[in-house]
Amino acid sequence: MNKFLLSCAALWASPALVAADDHTDAKGEETKIVEKTGGKFSLLATECKAEDDSVLETTPGAPPLDIDDPNTPGCNGWEVNIVTSGELGKAMSFETPLFDINYGIGDNIQLKVEAPFTVTRIDGVSKTGVGDAEVGIKHRFFEDESRDMTIAVYPQLEFAIPGADKADDYMGPVVKFPVLLSTKVGETRKGDVMITANAAYNLATSSDAHDYIAAAFGIGFPLTRSIAMMVEGTTEQSLGNNMAGVRESVYKANVGFLGKVNSHVLWFGALGESYSSSDAEDSTHTCLVAGFRFLAGGP
């Protein structure tokens, strides 16, 4: 009778032991198995989950690329990018430096503000000034941990800083409405292979400018355990013709790199080529990006 009771107790306890999600590794140490959840929508994720600093970030995003990814800095997290970029052609322009400051509210909302100092050189004449500032709020409203898929919206406002000297022509504020998606498509021993896609409608508020649509696609993968490579293609298409009767369009291809110095500092760089239909005499530019990312805060 005692053996029968013990057997029943063991059968009853076995599901609880399995549900504990613990197992013993090759060294005899107990480790926790983390089950990834399926797809879910959320307004504000108030749970502050610690980020895994040991994982190499391979999701294509800005910077070093132009494409935006749906990820956020995390609960109470800060992400500050200090960027130098340039477009080299018959006419040249530089943003050096550009300060891109981001703050995480909860686990799925990000506030952003950025502003560059710009230098332009056209027909041998150089101008310097403060470039257009940009503010935005990113909301990652869908997440599927089982597939490492995330989707976000990222409304932004681009505008001139009042009273600041401008180095280029200003066409008025632009309101941007992008949708961002990223997902895992494979993995290697060094890290994940990720893709990112963007689609956006951009509303021009000036009567001299036209609304335009934008799209981008990128793929990122690890080169080493501390360096990721990212490739992207982007385009912007005006929805009207300019005063010369030309519908402006821009195509761009970029190759970028992101590397870890430590868990709080990363470096990045990119090299690309762009083509514009609006200027037949200066249609192609070589694009350069370099800078550092600083991470702080968090749960």
Side-chain angles (χ1 to χ4, degrees), residues 100-163:
D100 172 23
I101 302 172
N102 307 275
Y103 177 71
I105 299 177
D107 274 330
N108 64 337
I109 289 180
Q110 169 186 315
L111 304 180
K112 179 193 83 164
V113 59
E114 69 174 48
F117 183 81
T118 61
V119 180
T120 62
R121 185 173 179 82
I122 303 174
D123 296 329
V125 178
S126 298
K127 294 182 179 180
T128 60
V130 178
D132 294 344
E134 198 166 280
V135 295
I137 179 168
K138 182 191 296 183
H139 177 213
R140 191 180 69 242
F141 64 88
F142 178 82
E143 185 171 10
D144 187 342
E145 293 182 347
S146 65
R147 294 185 292 170
D148 287 327
M149 174 185 287
T150 53
I151 306 175
V153 291
Y154 197 9
Q156 299 164 63
L157 173 64
E158 182 181 296
F159 61 96
I161 298 176

Side-chain angles (χ1 to χ4, degrees), residues 220-293:
F221 49 89
L223 289 181
T224 70
R225 294 193 180 277
S226 59
I227 300 176
M229 180 176 178
M230 305 169 180
V231 182
E232 73 170 349
T234 69
T235 185
E236 294 181 354
Q237 303 284 331
S238 174
L239 298 181
N241 295 338
N242 60 19
M243 290 185 292
V246 177
R247 189 170 72 87
E248 298 180 355
S249 60
V250 178
Y251 302 90
K252 187 175 182 181
N254 261 337
V255 177
F257 299 89
L258 180 68
K260 292 179 65 173
V261 178
N262 54 49
S263 59
H264 297 288
V265 182
L266 298 91
W267 61 265
F268 53 80
L271 174 65
E273 195 79 9
S274 69
Y275 169 79
S276 173
S277 66
S278 60
D279 190 348
E281 296 182 357
D282 190 23
S283 59
T284 60
H285 288 81
T286 298
C287 307
L288 305 171
V289 174
F292 290 92
R293 176 176 300 166

Side-chain angles (χ1 to χ4, degrees), residues 151-189:
I151 306 175
V153 291
Y154 197 9
Q156 299 164 63
L157 173 64
E158 182 181 296
F159 61 96
I161 298 176
D165 293 331
K166 297 288 295 178
D168 52 7
D169 296 330
Y170 178 61
M171 299 300 292
V174 177
V175 184
K176 304 177 181 180
F177 300 98
V179 178
L180 324 174
L181 177 146
S182 72
T183 188
K184 178 179 173 180
V185 294
E187 61 181 281
T188 70
R189 289 180 298 174

